[in-house]
Amino acid sequence: MLTMKDTYVVAVVGATGAVGNEMIATLEERDFPVKKLRLFASERSEGKELTYRDREITVETLKENSFAGIDIALFSAGAERSRIWAPIAVRSGCVVVDNSSQWRMDPEVPLVVPEVNPEDLKWHKGIIANPNCSTIQMVVVLKPIHDVAKIKRIVVTTFQSVSGTGQKAMDELLQQTKDLLNFREASCNVYPHQIAFNVLPHIDKFLENDYTKEEMKMVNETRKIMGDNSIRLTATTVRVPVFRGHSESVNIETEKKLTANEVREILSRAPGIIVFDAPHKDVYPLPVDVTGRDETYVGRIREDESIEKGINLWIVADNLRKGAALNAVQIAEKLIERA
Ligand SMILES: NC(=O)c1ccc[n+]([C@@H]2O[C@H](COP(=O)([O-])OP(=O)(O)OC[C@H]3O[C@@H](n4cnc5c(N)ncnc54)[C@H](OP(=O)(O)O)[C@@H]3O)[C@@H](O)[C@H]2O)c1
């Protein structure tokens, strides 16, 4: 458990990655009370220097005693590293906020979005899981609606940027774009197909039920975060050639009828959301506009004319911020508030 201090020793595990880099920037921007920052990555990055508050910090590799003296560790180095190292960190007295999928559905581990279920932090036993990026931005918007009108069913299609896969995928989109514009063949290493100038209806592995793991993460994590197993949800997750920012088309069916104006009203009062919705003036959220922003943007709010109590929404957020680094830092801030 975290004890109250003026400043904390913080670690970022996976510091050289797409999320890790954003975590370092977020800690600095939000003036998180850092006494000392330790940075960890693989052997490939050992000795590399990263900048935090105009100081160079040397990247270390993980060792059995690495977590001694560290209060809070933000993990974003993949599920396998979290499986091995998070329990070691907890045994050293550290609280872990984990970005990987490793602990999310563990019944002993709270899965937290601070705007939605901060109360679940009460029962953590050392590890708190950060949800999947596409789930975070959806539940931030759906929870306030659920509280008023009870959502019965969700149909979501995502348009996810390549930064959701990590740095290598961003490099691949850039390289393929350059190659194709120069009449060279594009090589595919990260995704099974060309991502430049293309759309892939495939994120993560395919499962027995023909859904992808990403789609089932959205189903299971949404129910756990919203604390409601009765919500029915079906997802199609799609990778698009966008560098940063995930977009989602979300259709919901509610128990109580809501008008589009009532939904705008509810969402404009909810935390962490910007209603950006004036379609007749071409105003709706776009990934290029939300890059670097903390809030989740929602637009194209309209009644679903095919059912009695349905609403359509277009939800966009920066996956590296609210979908990962920012949510993790907000969890750490809540932990400090409770210490
Ligand atoms: N990208 C997103 O939008 C997003 C959102 C939510 C959650 N996540 C999760 O966050 C994690 C990281 O994602 P990412 O997008 O940042 O990936 P990434 O860009 O590929 O970065 C991976 C990081 O993990 C480090 N790493 C790899 N092997 C390691 C080892 N053996 N020991 C210590 N560090 C090691 C890498 O270090 P090197 O540079 O030395 O290889 C790098 O810092 C994943 O679990 C992912 O599922 C990502």
PDB file of all heavy atoms in Angstrom, residues 116-148:
ATOM      1  N   VAL A 116     -14.579   6.730 -14.119  1.00  0.00           N
ATOM      2  CA  VAL A 116     -15.689   5.760 -14.124  1.00  0.00           C
ATOM      3  C   VAL A 116     -15.792   4.980 -12.812  1.00  0.00           C
ATOM      4  O   VAL A 116     -16.852   4.917 -12.197  1.00  0.00           O
ATOM      5  CB  VAL A 116     -15.520   4.775 -15.321  1.00  0.00           C
ATOM      6  CG1 VAL A 116     -16.622   3.712 -15.319  1.00  0.00           C
ATOM      7  CG2 VAL A 116     -15.514   5.540 -16.640  1.00  0.00           C
ATOM      8  N   ASN A 117     -14.706   4.352 -12.369  1.00  0.00           N
ATOM      9  CA  ASN A 117     -14.792   3.475 -11.191  1.00  0.00           C
ATOM     10  C   ASN A 117     -13.612   3.658 -10.220  1.00  0.00           C
ATOM     11  O   ASN A 117     -12.939   2.685  -9.866  1.00  0.00           O
ATOM     12  CB  ASN A 117     -14.893   1.998 -11.637  1.00  0.00           C
ATOM     13  CG  ASN A 117     -13.692   1.538 -12.446  1.00  0.00           C
ATOM     14  OD1 ASN A 117     -13.006   2.351 -13.075  1.00  0.00           O
ATOM     15  ND2 ASN A 117     -13.410   0.260 -12.404  1.00  0.00           N
ATOM     16  N   PRO A 118     -13.361   4.915  -9.777  1.00  0.00           N
ATOM     17  CA  PRO A 118     -12.221   5.140  -8.871  1.00  0.00           C
ATOM     18  C   PRO A 118     -12.372   4.356  -7.569  1.00  0.00           C
ATOM     19  O   PRO A 118     -11.369   4.000  -6.937  1.00  0.00           O
ATOM     20  CB  PRO A 118     -12.274   6.657  -8.616  1.00  0.00           C
ATOM     21  CG  PRO A 118     -13.679   7.064  -8.911  1.00  0.00           C
ATOM     22  CD  PRO A 118     -14.152   6.154  -9.992  1.00  0.00           C
ATOM     23  N   GLU A 119     -13.627   4.043  -7.183  1.00  0.00           N
ATOM     24  CA  GLU A 119     -13.863   3.319  -5.924  1.00  0.00           C
ATOM     25  C   GLU A 119     -13.216   1.927  -5.936  1.00  0.00           C
ATOM     26  O   GLU A 119     -12.913   1.382  -4.881  1.00  0.00           O
ATOM     27  CB  GLU A 119     -15.367   3.243  -5.603  1.00  0.00           C
ATOM     28  CG  GLU A 119     -16.244   2.442  -6.563  1.00  0.00           C
ATOM     29  CD  GLU A 119     -16.527   3.129  -7.919  1.00  0.00           C
ATOM     30  OE1 GLU A 119     -16.152   4.314  -8.102  1.00  0.00           O
ATOM     31  OE2 GLU A 119     -17.103   2.451  -8.801  1.00  0.00           O
ATOM     32  N   ASP A 120     -12.968   1.365  -7.119  1.00  0.00           N
ATOM     33  CA  ASP A 120     -12.352   0.034  -7.180  1.00  0.00           C
ATOM     34  C   ASP A 120     -10.889   0.045  -6.712  1.00  0.00           C
ATOM     35  O   ASP A 120     -10.321  -1.008  -6.450  1.00  0.00           O
ATOM     36  CB  ASP A 120     -12.457  -0.548  -8.600  1.00  0.00           C
ATOM     37  CG  ASP A 120     -13.862  -1.078  -8.875  1.00  0.00           C
ATOM     38  OD1 ASP A 120     -14.595  -1.356  -7.905  1.00  0.00           O
ATOM     39  OD2 ASP A 120     -14.236  -1.204 -10.054  1.00  0.00           O
ATOM     40  N   LEU A 121     -10.302   1.237  -6.600  1.00  0.00           N
ATOM     41  CA  LEU A 121      -8.923   1.309  -6.103  1.00  0.00           C
ATOM     42  C   LEU A 121      -8.829   0.839  -4.654  1.00  0.00           C
ATOM     43  O   LEU A 121      -7.758   0.427  -4.195  1.00  0.00           O
ATOM     44  CB  LEU A 121      -8.391   2.745  -6.217  1.00  0.00           C
ATOM     45  CG  LEU A 121      -8.064   3.216  -7.631  1.00  0.00           C
ATOM     46  CD1 LEU A 121      -7.732   4.700  -7.625  1.00  0.00           C
ATOM     47  CD2 LEU A 121      -6.899   2.420  -8.204  1.00  0.00           C
ATOM     48  N   LYS A 122      -9.974   0.894  -3.954  1.00  0.00           N
ATOM     49  CA  LYS A 122      -9.999   0.507  -2.531  1.00  0.00           C
ATOM     50  C   LYS A 122      -9.494  -0.903  -2.298  1.00  0.00           C
ATOM     51  O   LYS A 122      -8.878  -1.181  -1.302  1.00  0.00           O
ATOM     52  CB  LYS A 122     -11.457   0.549  -2.034  1.00  0.00           C
ATOM     53  CG  LYS A 122     -11.834   1.815  -1.313  1.00  0.00           C
ATOM     54  CD  LYS A 122     -13.211   1.657  -0.697  1.00  0.00           C
ATOM     55  CE  LYS A 122     -14.207   2.482  -1.456  1.00  0.00           C
ATOM     56  NZ  LYS A 122     -15.574   2.105  -1.428  1.00  0.00           N
ATOM     57  N   TRP A 123      -9.801  -1.807  -3.234  1.00  0.00           N
ATOM     58  CA  TRP A 123      -9.502  -3.219  -2.951  1.00  0.00           C
ATOM     59  C   TRP A 123      -8.256  -3.751  -3.670  1.00  0.00           C
ATOM     60  O   TRP A 123      -8.064  -4.955  -3.775  1.00  0.00           O
ATOM     61  CB  TRP A 123     -10.727  -4.103  -3.185  1.00  0.00           C
ATOM     62  CG  TRP A 123     -11.418  -3.955  -4.520  1.00  0.00           C
ATOM     63  CD1 TRP A 123     -12.417  -3.073  -4.826  1.00  0.00           C
ATOM     64  CD2 TRP A 123     -11.182  -4.707  -5.721  1.00  0.00           C
ATOM     65  NE1 TRP A 123     -12.812  -3.241  -6.134  1.00  0.00           N
ATOM     66  CE2 TRP A 123     -12.083  -4.238  -6.706  1.00  0.00           C
ATOM     67  CE3 TRP A 123     -10.297  -5.736  -6.069  1.00  0.00           C
ATOM     68  CZ2 TRP A 123     -12.128  -4.757  -8.001  1.00  0.00           C
ATOM     69  CZ3 TRP A 123     -10.349  -6.257  -7.354  1.00  0.00           C
ATOM     70  CH2 TRP A 123     -11.251  -5.756  -8.299  1.00  0.00           C
ATOM     71  N   HIS A 124      -7.377  -2.835  -4.135  1.00  0.00           N
ATOM     72  CA  HIS A 124      -6.186  -3.344  -4.822  1.00  0.00           C
ATOM     73  C   HIS A 124      -5.230  -4.023  -3.830  1.00  0.00           C
ATOM     74  O   HIS A 124      -5.208  -3.686  -2.645  1.00  0.00           O
ATOM     75  CB  HIS A 124      -5.495  -2.229  -5.614  1.00  0.00           C
ATOM     76  CG  HIS A 124      -4.541  -1.388  -4.825  1.00  0.00           C
ATOM     77  ND1 HIS A 124      -3.258  -1.781  -4.555  1.00  0.00           N
ATOM     78  CD2 HIS A 124      -4.693  -0.166  -4.256  1.00  0.00           C
ATOM     79  CE1 HIS A 124      -2.660  -0.839  -3.852  1.00  0.00           C
ATOM     80  NE2 HIS A 124      -3.508   0.148  -3.651  1.00  0.00           N
ATOM     81  N   LYS A 125      -4.474  -4.975  -4.361  1.00  0.00           N
ATOM     82  CA  LYS A 125      -3.520  -5.704  -3.514  1.00  0.00           C
ATOM     83  C   LYS A 125      -2.096  -5.470  -4.006  1.00  0.00           C
ATOM     84  O   LYS A 125      -1.224  -6.316  -3.838  1.00  0.00           O
ATOM     85  CB  LYS A 125      -3.847  -7.203  -3.555  1.00  0.00           C
ATOM     86  CG  LYS A 125      -5.241  -7.522  -3.001  1.00  0.00           C
ATOM     87  CD  LYS A 125      -5.513  -9.019  -3.018  1.00  0.00           C
ATOM     88  CE  LYS A 125      -6.814  -9.362  -2.312  1.00  0.00           C
ATOM     89  NZ  LYS A 125      -8.015  -8.827  -3.021  1.00  0.00           N
ATOM     90  N   GLY A 126      -1.891  -4.346  -4.659  1.00  0.00           N
ATOM     91  CA  GLY A 126      -0.536  -4.023  -5.130  1.00  0.00           C
ATOM     92  C   GLY A 126      -0.488  -3.781  -6.620  1.00  0.00           C
ATOM     93  O   GLY A 126       0.361  -3.042  -7.110  1.00  0.00           O
ATOM     94  N   ILE A 127      -1.414  -4.441  -7.378  1.00  0.00           N
ATOM     95  CA  ILE A 127      -1.437  -4.210  -8.835  1.00  0.00           C
ATOM     96  C   ILE A 127      -2.791  -3.607  -9.204  1.00  0.00           C
ATOM     97  O   ILE A 127      -3.837  -4.093  -8.764  1.00  0.00           O
ATOM     98  CB  ILE A 127      -1.253  -5.526  -9.634  1.00  0.00           C
ATOM     99  CG1 ILE A 127       0.057  -6.223  -9.266  1.00  0.00           C
ATOM    100  CG2 ILE A 127      -1.311  -5.259 -11.140  1.00  0.00           C
ATOM    101  CD1 ILE A 127       0.261  -7.593  -9.926  1.00  0.00           C
ATOM    102  N   ILE A 128      -2.740  -2.547 -10.018  1.00  0.00           N
ATOM    103  CA  ILE A 128      -3.969  -1.984 -10.596  1.00  0.00           C
ATOM    104  C   ILE A 128      -3.792  -2.064 -12.105  1.00  0.00           C
ATOM    105  O   ILE A 128      -2.744  -1.681 -12.637  1.00  0.00           O
ATOM    106  CB  ILE A 128      -4.190  -0.508 -10.182  1.00  0.00           C
ATOM    107  CG1 ILE A 128      -4.359  -0.411  -8.663  1.00  0.00           C
ATOM    108  CG2 ILE A 128      -5.432   0.068 -10.850  1.00  0.00           C
ATOM    109  CD1 ILE A 128      -3.195   0.182  -7.981  1.00  0.00           C
ATOM    110  N   ALA A 129      -4.802  -2.574 -12.801  1.00  0.00           N
ATOM    111  CA  ALA A 129      -4.685  -2.706 -14.255  1.00  0.00           C
ATOM    112  C   ALA A 129      -5.303  -1.499 -14.952  1.00  0.00           C
ATOM    113  O   ALA A 129      -6.330  -0.969 -14.526  1.00  0.00           O
ATOM    114  CB  ALA A 129      -5.369  -3.982 -14.721  1.00  0.00           C
ATOM    115  N   ASN A 130      -4.619  -1.091 -16.015  1.00  0.00           N
ATOM    116  CA  ASN A 130      -5.082  -0.025 -16.890  1.00  0.00           C
ATOM    117  C   ASN A 130      -5.792  -0.722 -18.060  1.00  0.00           C
ATOM    118  O   ASN A 130      -5.217  -1.614 -18.667  1.00  0.00           O
ATOM    119  CB  ASN A 130      -3.831   0.702 -17.406  1.00  0.00           C
ATOM    120  CG  ASN A 130      -4.075   2.123 -17.770  1.00  0.00           C
ATOM    121  OD1 ASN A 130      -4.596   2.890 -16.978  1.00  0.00           O
ATOM    122  ND2 ASN A 130      -3.688   2.480 -18.979  1.00  0.00           N
ATOM    123  N   PRO A 131      -7.009  -0.331 -18.387  1.00  0.00           N
ATOM    124  CA  PRO A 131      -7.714  -1.059 -19.447  1.00  0.00           C
ATOM    125  C   PRO A 131      -7.110  -0.844 -20.831  1.00  0.00           C
ATOM    126  O   PRO A 131      -6.253   0.010 -21.033  1.00  0.00           O
ATOM    127  CB  PRO A 131      -9.135  -0.481 -19.391  1.00  0.00           C
ATOM    128  CG  PRO A 131      -9.235   0.188 -18.063  1.00  0.00           C
ATOM    129  CD  PRO A 131      -7.861   0.655 -17.719  1.00  0.00           C
ATOM    130  N   ASN A 132      -7.629  -1.625 -21.766  1.00  0.00           N
ATOM    131  CA  ASN A 132      -7.290  -1.492 -23.169  1.00  0.00           C
ATOM    132  C   ASN A 132      -7.664  -0.082 -23.666  1.00  0.00           C
ATOM    133  O   ASN A 132      -8.683   0.467 -23.244  1.00  0.00           O
ATOM    134  CB  ASN A 132      -8.118  -2.561 -23.896  1.00  0.00           C
ATOM    135  CG  ASN A 132      -7.938  -2.541 -25.370  1.00  0.00           C
ATOM    136  OD1 ASN A 132      -8.738  -1.957 -26.091  1.00  0.00           O
ATOM    137  ND2 ASN A 132      -6.875  -3.135 -25.818  1.00  0.00           N
ATOM    138  N   CYS A 133      -6.850   0.459 -24.585  1.00  0.00           N
ATOM    139  CA  CYS A 133      -7.073   1.848 -25.031  1.00  0.00           C
ATOM    140  C   CYS A 133      -8.466   2.085 -25.620  1.00  0.00           C
ATOM    141  O   CYS A 133      -9.118   3.090 -25.305  1.00  0.00           O
ATOM    142  CB  CYS A 133      -6.001   2.246 -26.039  1.00  0.00           C
ATOM    143  SG  CYS A 133      -5.586   0.947 -27.207  1.00  0.00           S
ATOM    144  N   SER A 134      -8.935   1.164 -26.445  1.00  0.00           N
ATOM    145  CA  SER A 134     -10.246   1.395 -27.077  1.00  0.00           C
ATOM    146  C   SER A 134     -11.380   1.299 -26.061  1.00  0.00           C
ATOM    147  O   SER A 134     -12.423   1.945 -26.213  1.00  0.00           O
ATOM    148  CB  SER A 134     -10.469   0.429 -28.241  1.00  0.00           C
ATOM    149  OG  SER A 134      -9.970  -0.832 -27.928  1.00  0.00           O
ATOM    150  N   THR A 135     -11.182   0.502 -25.007  1.00  0.00           N
ATOM    151  CA  THR A 135     -12.209   0.378 -23.965  1.00  0.00           C
ATOM    152  C   THR A 135     -12.268   1.661 -23.133  1.00  0.00           C
ATOM    153  O   THR A 135     -13.348   2.146 -22.807  1.00  0.00           O
ATOM    154  CB  THR A 135     -11.903  -0.819 -23.036  1.00  0.00           C
ATOM    155  OG1 THR A 135     -11.673  -1.968 -23.846  1.00  0.00           O
ATOM    156  CG2 THR A 135     -13.042  -1.081 -22.075  1.00  0.00           C
ATOM    157  N   ILE A 136     -11.099   2.211 -22.782  1.00  0.00           N
ATOM    158  CA  ILE A 136     -11.062   3.388 -21.895  1.00  0.00           C
ATOM    159  C   ILE A 136     -11.919   4.510 -22.472  1.00  0.00           C
ATOM    160  O   ILE A 136     -12.824   5.021 -21.816  1.00  0.00           O
ATOM    161  CB  ILE A 136      -9.621   3.892 -21.663  1.00  0.00           C
ATOM    162  CG1 ILE A 136      -8.800   2.860 -20.901  1.00  0.00           C
ATOM    163  CG2 ILE A 136      -9.632   5.238 -20.905  1.00  0.00           C
ATOM    164  CD1 ILE A 136      -7.347   3.255 -20.649  1.00  0.00           C
ATOM    165  N   GLN A 137     -11.644   4.893 -23.730  1.00  0.00           N
ATOM    166  CA  GLN A 137     -12.342   6.063 -24.275  1.00  0.00           C
ATOM    167  C   GLN A 137     -13.839   5.796 -24.417  1.00  0.00           C
ATOM    168  O   GLN A 137     -14.649   6.712 -24.295  1.00  0.00           O
ATOM    169  CB  GLN A 137     -11.717   6.519 -25.592  1.00  0.00           C
ATOM    170  CG  GLN A 137     -11.853   5.541 -26.760  1.00  0.00           C
ATOM    171  CD  GLN A 137     -11.128   6.041 -27.992  1.00  0.00           C
ATOM    172  OE1 GLN A 137      -9.897   6.118 -28.024  1.00  0.00           O
ATOM    173  NE2 GLN A 137     -11.868   6.388 -29.039  1.00  0.00           N
ATOM    174  N   MET A 138     -14.219   4.540 -24.638  1.00  0.00           N
ATOM    175  CA  MET A 138     -15.650   4.233 -24.767  1.00  0.00           C
ATOM    176  C   MET A 138     -16.356   4.326 -23.412  1.00  0.00           C
ATOM    177  O   MET A 138     -17.426   4.950 -23.308  1.00  0.00           O
ATOM    178  CB  MET A 138     -15.836   2.838 -25.378  1.00  0.00           C
ATOM    179  CG  MET A 138     -17.296   2.542 -25.671  1.00  0.00           C
ATOM    180  SD  MET A 138     -17.529   0.978 -26.500  1.00  0.00           S
ATOM    181  CE  MET A 138     -17.272  -0.160 -25.154  1.00  0.00           C
ATOM    182  N   VAL A 139     -15.754   3.762 -22.360  1.00  0.00           N
ATOM    183  CA  VAL A 139     -16.464   3.759 -21.065  1.00  0.00           C
ATOM    184  C   VAL A 139     -16.523   5.155 -20.433  1.00  0.00           C
ATOM    185  O   VAL A 139     -17.468   5.453 -19.709  1.00  0.00           O
ATOM    186  CB  VAL A 139     -15.900   2.720 -20.056  1.00  0.00           C
ATOM    187  CG1 VAL A 139     -16.110   1.303 -20.574  1.00  0.00           C
ATOM    188  CG2 VAL A 139     -14.456   2.988 -19.696  1.00  0.00           C
ATOM    189  N   VAL A 140     -15.518   5.987 -20.718  1.00  0.00           N
ATOM    190  CA  VAL A 140     -15.567   7.365 -20.202  1.00  0.00           C
ATOM    191  C   VAL A 140     -16.864   8.036 -20.676  1.00  0.00           C
ATOM    192  O   VAL A 140     -17.531   8.733 -19.924  1.00  0.00           O
ATOM    193  CB  VAL A 140     -14.327   8.176 -20.677  1.00  0.00           C
ATOM    194  CG1 VAL A 140     -14.526   9.665 -20.484  1.00  0.00           C
ATOM    195  CG2 VAL A 140     -13.083   7.735 -19.931  1.00  0.00           C
ATOM    196  N   VAL A 141     -17.238   7.774 -21.921  1.00  0.00           N
ATOM    197  CA  VAL A 141     -18.437   8.400 -22.483  1.00  0.00           C
ATOM    198  C   VAL A 141     -19.711   7.633 -22.094  1.00  0.00           C
ATOM    199  O   VAL A 141     -20.750   8.243 -21.822  1.00  0.00           O
ATOM    200  CB  VAL A 141     -18.294   8.499 -24.028  1.00  0.00           C
ATOM    201  CG1 VAL A 141     -19.590   8.970 -24.672  1.00  0.00           C
ATOM    202  CG2 VAL A 141     -17.141   9.429 -24.386  1.00  0.00           C
ATOM    203  N   LEU A 142     -19.632   6.315 -22.047  1.00  0.00           N
ATOM    204  CA  LEU A 142     -20.872   5.552 -21.813  1.00  0.00           C
ATOM    205  C   LEU A 142     -21.328   5.527 -20.358  1.00  0.00           C
ATOM    206  O   LEU A 142     -22.520   5.430 -20.074  1.00  0.00           O
ATOM    207  CB  LEU A 142     -20.721   4.111 -22.341  1.00  0.00           C
ATOM    208  CG  LEU A 142     -20.542   3.998 -23.861  1.00  0.00           C
ATOM    209  CD1 LEU A 142     -20.685   2.539 -24.307  1.00  0.00           C
ATOM    210  CD2 LEU A 142     -21.528   4.872 -24.633  1.00  0.00           C
ATOM    211  N   LYS A 143     -20.382   5.632 -19.402  1.00  0.00           N
ATOM    212  CA  LYS A 143     -20.782   5.524 -17.984  1.00  0.00           C
ATOM    213  C   LYS A 143     -21.808   6.598 -17.586  1.00  0.00           C
ATOM    214  O   LYS A 143     -22.838   6.259 -16.980  1.00  0.00           O
ATOM    215  CB  LYS A 143     -19.521   5.564 -17.097  1.00  0.00           C
ATOM    216  CG  LYS A 143     -19.786   5.448 -15.617  1.00  0.00           C
ATOM    217  CD  LYS A 143     -20.447   4.112 -15.262  1.00  0.00           C
ATOM    218  CE  LYS A 143     -20.509   3.738 -13.815  1.00  0.00           C
ATOM    219  NZ  LYS A 143     -20.769   4.720 -12.837  1.00  0.00           N
ATOM    220  N   PRO A 144     -21.582   7.884 -17.919  1.00  0.00           N
ATOM    221  CA  PRO A 144     -22.589   8.881 -17.520  1.00  0.00           C
ATOM    222  C   PRO A 144     -23.969   8.610 -18.143  1.00  0.00           C
ATOM    223  O   PRO A 144     -24.990   8.907 -17.531  1.00  0.00           O
ATOM    224  CB  PRO A 144     -22.020  10.207 -18.042  1.00  0.00           C
ATOM    225  CG  PRO A 144     -20.607   9.956 -18.388  1.00  0.00           C
ATOM    226  CD  PRO A 144     -20.420   8.499 -18.602  1.00  0.00           C
ATOM    227  N   ILE A 145     -23.982   8.044 -19.349  1.00  0.00           N
ATOM    228  CA  ILE A 145     -25.266   7.718 -19.997  1.00  0.00           C
ATOM    229  C   ILE A 145     -25.896   6.518 -19.282  1.00  0.00           C
ATOM    230  O   ILE A 145     -27.094   6.502 -18.985  1.00  0.00           O
ATOM    231  CB  ILE A 145     -25.055   7.403 -21.499  1.00  0.00           C
ATOM    232  CG1 ILE A 145     -24.409   8.601 -22.214  1.00  0.00           C
ATOM    233  CG2 ILE A 145     -26.369   7.005 -22.158  1.00  0.00           C
ATOM    234  CD1 ILE A 145     -24.034   8.340 -23.672  1.00  0.00           C
ATOM    235  N   HIS A 146     -25.064   5.540 -18.955  1.00  0.00           N
ATOM    236  CA  HIS A 146     -25.535   4.331 -18.259  1.00  0.00           C
ATOM    237  C   HIS A 146     -26.158   4.688 -16.913  1.00  0.00           C
ATOM    238  O   HIS A 146     -27.190   4.143 -16.527  1.00  0.00           O
ATOM    239  CB  HIS A 146     -24.335   3.394 -18.065  1.00  0.00           C
ATOM    240  CG  HIS A 146     -24.678   2.035 -17.536  1.00  0.00           C
ATOM    241  ND1 HIS A 146     -25.554   1.181 -18.178  1.00  0.00           N
ATOM    242  CD2 HIS A 146     -24.263   1.366 -16.419  1.00  0.00           C
ATOM    243  CE1 HIS A 146     -25.660   0.057 -17.496  1.00  0.00           C
ATOM    244  NE2 HIS A 146     -24.888   0.145 -16.419  1.00  0.00           N
ATOM    245  N   ASP A 147     -25.533   5.629 -16.213  1.00  0.00           N
ATOM    246  CA  ASP A 147     -26.042   6.030 -14.889  1.00  0.00           C
ATOM    247  C   ASP A 147     -27.458   6.619 -14.980  1.00  0.00           C
ATOM    248  O   ASP A 147     -28.242   6.482 -14.051  1.00  0.00           O
ATOM    249  CB  ASP A 147     -25.111   7.074 -14.241  1.00  0.00           C
ATOM    250  CG  ASP A 147     -23.806   6.456 -13.777  1.00  0.00           C
ATOM    251  OD1 ASP A 147     -23.741   5.210 -13.674  1.00  0.00           O
ATOM    252  OD2 ASP A 147     -22.841   7.214 -13.532  1.00  0.00           O
ATOM    253  N   VAL A 148     -27.752   7.257 -16.094  1.00  0.00           N
ATOM    254  CA  VAL A 148     -29.065   7.908 -16.238  1.00  0.00           C
ATOM    255  C   VAL A 148     -30.092   6.984 -16.904  1.00  0.00           C
ATOM    256  O   VAL A 148     -31.261   6.959 -16.503  1.00  0.00           O
ATOM    257  CB  VAL A 148     -28.917   9.208 -17.089  1.00  0.00           C
ATOM    258  CG1 VAL A 148     -30.270   9.846 -17.354  1.00  0.00           C
ATOM    259  CG2 VAL A 148     -27.988  10.187 -16.401  1.00  0.00           C
TER     260      VAL A 148
END
